[in-house]
Amino acid sequence: MVSDQISSKDDAKHQSIWNLFYHMLISDSDLIMLQEHTAKLLNCSEHLQTWLQSCYGDYVQFTNQATLTELRHYWTQYVSTDVSYNSKIDVSVRDGMSTRCKEIGTSMFAHGLRSAGPLWINGLEALSHTYRRYWETGVAGGNTVDCTRLGQKSHANPMFAVSSAPLGEFAVHYGSEPLLGFHLAPTFRKLYCSGGKKSLPAQSDCLVEAAKTQFTNWCNVFAALVRTRRVCVQLFSGDAVALCHQLQLGVDEARFYTKPWKLQPLHLDGQTSQSNPQWPSINRFDVIDTSNLGDHVGLINMIVATAPLLRTSETSVLCTESLLAASDDPTSSLSAVLGTDIVTFSLFIGLAPTGLLAGTTFEAVSNEAGLQSISRPMGTQQQSQYRLRIHWKSPCIQSSSPASKENGRTLAQVSVDADGLAAWLFNIYKKMFAKEDLSNLFSAMQSMKDKHFSTDMQRYTRAAIVALIRVLKTTVLTDWDLVMTTFLDMVESDRTLIVGSNSLQELNMHLALFGVWTLPVLAQGPRRIQKTFNLQLRPRSNVEGILGGVDPPPIVYIILSVPRKSLDVFTTGPGKVSSTPGINISVKQQFGEQQYENCFHTFHCFFGRATHDEKDGSIGFEEDNMGWLGSADLVIICPVPTFGLLTGPRSGLKVSLALNTNTENLGLYTSKLGPRLTVFETSVDDGRRVSICEHPPYLDTSKSIDSQKNWLQRHSIQADGKITGSAVQDSYHKATKLRIRTTFNVDSEEAKALVSGVSVAVAPASSSAVILKIGDSLNRSLVFPFPVQSSNCKTRVARKSSWIEMEAPIHVAPQPDAFDTWTKVTTRADGSFSLGTIPRVNLDIQHAVPLTTKKDESWLNLLMGGTLSENEKYLKDHNQDLSMHPKSELKESLNIIIQSFAGYNPRAMGQPIHNFQLTMSRNNSCHTLIFVSGLHHDLDLGSVVLDAWVLPLTHQRVQKLAPGIQSLMSAEPPPVGVSLSDRESTLWKRLLPALAERCRTWNHKASCEYRTKGEIPLSVEEDRSPLCCCGEGKVTSSFTKFKQWAPFAKYVTRIAIAPVFPVPYIESLMRFPDPNVSNAPNTASSATTTTQRQQCDSCNASSNKLLTCGGCGKVKYCSKECQKAAWKAHKVQCKK
């Protein structure tokens, strides 16, 4: 629709596109447009090939026929002319809106404030109003223009009314708010600067208009990309985790079902039928964005499904997001959902959060902390949302250095002690299934009553821990046989997960199905090995079908049909809950006094019935597409080990559907289902309800285990025998150190040199690389698989055995990083450059922040105050020396520059200061000039960014530019001096190339000094420039409009200066002491005063230790010399 209509000049059609995307109620013309376009889509989509030959086939494609078929199902309902049906969905939508309006009442809602970015403090009333009005009117923000256009006659938007909701109910999410997807910070700023507070309806109109403008711009860009054949969207409807696992295997045969509740095999037939060679089928990706799926399926499940699909490169990134708080303290949120410490998980999985590697972020995380403080209900501990975006990258590629490339970079593989790895896996296993520990039943129930966290939800089955082990086998070197036997021994002997012992068979079965580890009893059919393992199996019987065969398979599939009436407990009465309770299939055997039970939590289900052919004994299946709305039984397909079904008399064998035994289910369902929480139970002899098959319906699993084993064989790392990297774990099984051993061939130069007794030294090269120096001439660069404290490296040398071993502690943010790795600009294999953790920004399209002399500093103070961690604020409040904390010093310097440009420097009397100089505190010498031309919103990061130009000064340049510099220094107001310690000066020099690269719009030359010298930055010395010359003189109008800067135009390079924030899952953010929003501006002001260093009234240098004028007690100086120099001008105002 966008590509068809946006190129037209018909404003009414553009308006209708907006209405159809965002409004729950639409007009006659909107509905006609939708139905006409949908009819066109139906004509083009009878089959995949038909679609590919249509006008849409070049830029919209489908992963499989099933996805296209499902979309056609919805499209058919959109064009329906059935009066009764349309009346029904109209009533459903209006009733749903009315219900939500009653729930909203007059409450204030903060989740929409994310669209306001750093101006969230100004948006609470307005965005609560737009949210409330949206649900009242069905129109974005209840804006005047659209409500008037809609008039009295309106229709329910079919795109909101039709859904896959199981009961056909109105299923629009209660948090839906059209404005949440747009950047509204510039609009809020304009509203404030326009003078006079507008009414809430007027503010809503302005916000919606801004959103419409952004939407139109997006549509125009998308349409342009379509016209130039530069975009292709491939659609898939189904289970995301299943799709990822199918893509990993790269096989045509279906190994999984498309989605829950449907008997539909997952075929990738859409990929094999693509006719356009411009868009080949893809199974490896540069960027994978999972949104907040981890909240719903489990973060570990999401990572192990997507990580193998990520390409190995400097820029490849996996993006995850969460909205549900995992703990009271954000610093423990990530480790809580991972079930282990972040470092060890990252080291073993081969991907690390960039915040862990950098210890900083440019995302304004303080916005989210502020939102959390005002969104939690007062006086309660109930869960509130906390948005956490994490970018995962390869830790070793992230910190690669030019030096290591020069000397032949050798990356050590991760090797782990088998016992330590087994113990670590077992700890995660216990965290995954902690709800099976019924010894904590009372405390768990009390905790759930007081507060709710995302970790309270049960997202993991035994297949999840097996999938994790499967990926680890491709990233970690160890004795995997020993790991598995030790791990399984721990699981079998555990007595804390009381009901966990019932899932041992399921664990062993999935280890076999994933090709990870196969117990001998699952390697072959049970009758073939019964003598070997002394299995007490009952005699063969022809009446048992596949179980009575000569050689039944080691794993079979139970098909259980659960009567529809048994499901009433989930849909009626007091047991009704908003979320699906955890359920399992239980296989119980009882003969004599002996009884055992095995539970299986990984299965597939659909509504329908199983049919039996009496002639050949085959089983067929009929699906009821009405699902929960129909009357068919629930059919469950569950894999189980065969030998358990052949043990004991068949008459004692029962199969049941039961709820998981945990605190929630016991509290909700015991009165209905009894203490065993059994929903339905029947005997295996019940031929009407139970069938046993060799394969699940419609799936080709005959080669499934072989496919998994082949995948593992292709991707598992192999020891090269020459260099290994071992993780050293502490008593809690956390990786704390890394050890590299490199072995030389006996006839190599290195081996001969070692025997001769030459010296061996290790020199740090980067945060993860060291240069091994053997004698005077033999250098070898070695890279640890994770950042380490390379300056603390210990060395062991075995001269006769020709090996050298190095051991270093793992570097963990926010520990000081001697190389400031977060500032790194790395060189790709093709010679281009990439930023490691600092995001790019296009300064030319970011909205300018209007500056005003009004007292409106609360939002900016709040933003800048949030750059401090709790520890940094403590150091500042207690006047601690920050010279050992250059990153903290940098934050203060950035605060001075940004606040001064915004007009909050008292020397500027409310006017922006454009000129700054970085000076050394030890000698007051200036080595860098910074010219700031504008303050802009950084919309994606919810922050601000300065459009600035940097001029590194050298002795030669100072001489050449002396007149211009002198004129600059005598201007009013004069440049603000930012005094730097030696360490902060080095940090600035390292940071400047990244700030230039961040906003670069020009190309590096072939002769770029970064390439020829192999160094970025070029230097960190005072009289040397850290930047290459490629960006010099590439000035824009934002620079040339300042005439006094003309002498410097040939030498400046554009940079993007922005606040730097702590990483919330690494260190505690500065707290918001009062969650009441009315006090927030005062909180902001007090917070920011801790970030501002005072300035010398004479030289403008900033420092923590200034001398106060004894006369007036107000003006400060950095030395007696400065006080004397300023006395002539100051004595007029001084009380003395």
Side-chain angles (χ1 to χ4, degrees), residues 638-889:
C638 181
V640 299
T642 307
F643 68 82
L645 300 177
L646 295 175
T647 304
R650 182 180 175 88
S651 59
L653 199 59
K654 296 184 180 298
V655 181
S656 64
L657 172 66
L659 300 188
N660 295 343
T661 305
N662 56 45
T663 54
E664 301 97 310
N665 289 342
L666 286 170
L668 286 169
Y669 293 102
T670 299
S671 61
K672 286 277 187 178
L673 301 176
R676 299 187 67 84
L677 301 177
T678 301
V679 178
F680 173 73
E681 183 175 270
T682 188
S683 169
V684 171
D685 283 329
D686 185 351
R688 198 165 60 91
R689 294 290 177 187
V690 180
S691 305
I692 298 176
C693 306
E694 183 175 359
H695 302 291
Y698 307 135
L699 296 189
D700 183 358
T701 58
S702 59
K703 300 179 181 178
S704 182
I705 295 178
D706 290 337
S707 297
Q708 294 284 4
K709 289 181 177 179
N710 290 337
W711 184 88
L712 278 168
Q713 188 173 10
R714 291 196 311 270
H715 294 88
S716 296
I717 59 174
Q718 302 295 324
D720 59 16
K722 295 181 179 179
I723 179 168
T724 58
S726 302
V728 180
Q729 297 172 275
D730 63 13
S731 57
Y732 298 98
H733 314 297
K734 297 178 180 180
T736 57
K737 299 177 182 178
L738 287 177
R739 184 183 299 140
I740 288 181
R741 176 179 290 190
T742 178
T743 305
F744 305 104
N745 294 330
V746 292
D747 56 349
S748 66
E749 293 185 32
E750 290 88 349
K752 294 175 182 177
L754 289 178
V755 172
S756 68
V758 299
S759 62
V760 174
V762 175
S766 74
S767 62
S768 63
V770 294
I771 302 296
L772 180 59
K773 299 183 176 182
I774 304 173
D776 297 328
S777 58
L778 297 176
N779 292 345
R780 185 169 182 179
S781 179
L782 301 175
V783 182
F784 287 85
F786 206 83
V788 295
Q789 301 173 34
S790 51
S791 58
N792 295 332
C793 192
K794 297 180 180 179
T795 307
R796 293 176 60 204
V797 180
R799 298 183 181 274
K800 293 182 179 180
S801 302
S802 301
W803 56 259
I804 299 174
E805 186 176 87
M806 290 153 287
E807 182 179 283
I810 292 176
H811 176 265
V812 181
Q815 293 175 347
D817 176 7
F819 292 92
D820 298 315
T821 306
W822 66 279
T823 67
K824 275 291 182 184
V825 178
T826 58
T827 306
R828 297 194 188 105
D830 61 2
S832 59
F833 304 101
S834 67
L835 289 165
T837 61
I838 298 177
R840 293 187 179 274
V841 62
N842 188 337
L843 292 173
D844 295 325
I845 64 173
Q846 297 293 337
H847 293 260
V849 178
L851 299 177
T852 174
T853 57
K854 294 168 62 178
K855 277 285 190 179
D856 66 337
E857 70 274 6
S858 60
W859 72 273
L860 188 59
N861 283 351
L862 195 66
L863 178 72
M864 299 307 299
T867 62
L868 292 180
S869 68
E870 205 169 50
N871 182 58
E872 289 170 327
K873 185 177 186 298
Y874 175 86
L875 294 175
K876 180 62 182 174
D877 287 348
H878 292 78
N879 297 316
Q880 298 293 310
D881 182 13
L882 296 180
S883 61
M884 299 298 291
H885 304 274
K887 197 182 297 182
S888 301
E889 290 184 302

Side-chain angles (χ1 to χ4, degrees), residues 250-566:
V251 295
D252 295 332
E253 301 84 5
R255 298 285 193 261
F256 308 92
Y257 290 106
T258 300
K259 60 175 64 177
W261 308 105
K262 290 291 184 180
L263 189 63
Q264 192 174 68
L266 176 51
H267 290 290
L268 301 181
D269 47 339
Q271 289 211 335
T272 58
S273 66
Q274 308 300 342
S275 60
N276 188 348
Q278 185 181 3
W279 307 113
S281 60
I282 299 171
N283 59 6
R284 296 296 293 274
F285 302 87
D286 297 300
V287 178
I288 300 175
D289 191 334
T290 68
S291 185
N292 70 319
L293 279 174
D295 282 339
H296 305 284
V297 303
L299 183 60
I300 293 179
N301 283 336
M302 207 68 247
I303 290 176
V304 300
T306 54
L309 301 176
L310 197 66
R311 284 197 177 99
T312 304
S313 73
E314 299 92 336
T315 55
S316 295
V317 59
L318 168 64
C319 306
T320 63
E321 187 172 339
S322 63
L323 289 175
L324 303 179
S327 68
D328 278 325
D329 183 2
T331 59
S332 61
S333 59
L334 183 53
S335 58
V337 295
L338 293 176
T340 184
D341 67 293
I342 308 171
V343 172
T344 308
F345 183 88
S346 301
L347 173 66
F348 290 170
I349 208 74
L351 291 174
T354 55
L356 178 67
L357 303 173
T360 59
T361 179
F362 278 69
E363 183 179 1
V365 293
S366 58
N367 297 346
E368 193 65 30
L371 294 183
Q372 188 189 40
S373 71
I374 65 172
S375 62
R376 177 180 288 134
M378 296 296 292
T380 74
Q381 292 297 316
Q382 293 299 306
Q383 179 187 357
S384 59
Q385 281 195 355
Y386 189 89
R387 182 175 183 239
L388 190 64
R389 290 201 298 182
I390 301 176
H391 296 156
W392 302 75
K393 286 190 171 185
S394 172
C396 54
I397 293 177
Q398 168 66 32
S399 56
S400 61
S401 67
S404 65
K405 293 176 181 177
E406 273 184 15
N407 295 280
R409 181 172 180 261
T410 304
L411 173 64
Q413 299 163 315
V414 179
S415 174
V416 187
D417 172 72
D419 289 335
L421 180 57
W424 179 80
L425 284 170
F426 180 60
N427 283 342
I428 291 184
Y429 178 87
K430 290 198 295 184
K431 292 287 181 61
M432 280 185 170
F433 308 112
K435 288 184 177 293
E436 296 175 5
D437 183 357
L438 298 185
S439 64
N440 295 323
L441 178 62
F442 177 78
S443 60
M445 293 181 70
Q446 186 62 40
S447 175
M448 288 289 293
K449 181 180 178 181
D450 293 339
K451 62 188 76 173
H452 296 279
F453 297 117
S454 63
T455 46
D456 294 327
M457 302 179 189
Q458 285 184 286
R459 301 183 181 88
Y460 298 113
T461 66
R462 265 58 185 184
I465 188 70
V466 173
L468 173 62
I469 296 172
R470 171 180 176 267
V471 172
L472 292 178
K473 289 193 74 172
T474 69
T475 59
V476 175
L477 282 173
T478 190
D479 183 344
W480 276 104
D481 288 347
L482 181 56
V483 168
M484 295 312 304
T485 54
T486 305
F487 169 69
L488 291 174
D489 284 345
M490 290 177 172
V491 172
E492 290 176 15
S493 59
D494 176 59
R495 294 296 177 267
T496 59
L497 305 183
I498 298 174
V499 297
S501 59
N502 292 342
S503 298
L504 286 176
Q505 279 199 22
E506 182 184 31
L507 175 62
N508 289 320
M509 177 188 69
H510 284 297
L511 286 169
L513 288 174
F514 276 90
V516 171
W517 173 260
T518 305
L519 287 178
V521 293
L522 291 174
Q524 302 179 60
R527 295 202 182 278
R528 188 181 300 182
I529 57 175
Q530 69 180 107
K531 291 183 179 179
T532 306
F533 294 95
N534 195 27
L535 297 178
Q536 301 299 315
L537 306 181
R538 62 177 173 269
R540 287 180 55 216
S541 171
N542 293 331
V543 300
E544 292 203 65
I546 189 173
L547 295 182
V550 176
D551 186 21
I555 296 171
V556 294
Y557 291 81
I558 289 180
I559 315 294
L560 174 66
S561 295
V562 180
R564 172 61 71 122
K565 187 170 180 59
S566 298

Side-chain angles (χ1 to χ4, degrees), residues 1072-1116:
F1072 291 80
D1074 190 348
N1076 190 331
V1077 69
S1078 63
N1079 292 338
N1082 295 331
T1083 301
S1085 181
S1086 64
T1088 308
T1089 57
T1090 67
T1091 72
Q1092 293 180 329
R1093 281 184 287 188
Q1094 295 171 316
Q1095 292 176 281
C1096 173
D1097 194 58
S1098 176
C1099 68
N1100 298 320
S1102 57
S1103 175
N1104 298 320
K1105 300 179 180 179
L1106 296 180
L1107 305 173
T1108 304
C1109 173
C1112 62
K1114 297 180 179 179
V1115 178
K1116 297 180 182 293

Side-chain angles (χ1 to χ4, degrees), residues 906-932:
R907 290 176 57 83
M909 300 181 65
Q911 296 301 314
I913 293 178
H914 293 272
N915 306 320
F916 300 86
Q917 52 180 334
L918 304 183
T919 62
M920 300 299 298
S921 59
R922 54 179 164 79
N923 57 16
N924 208 28
S925 63
C926 171
H927 65 59
T928 303
L929 294 178
I930 295 176
F931 308 90
V932 180

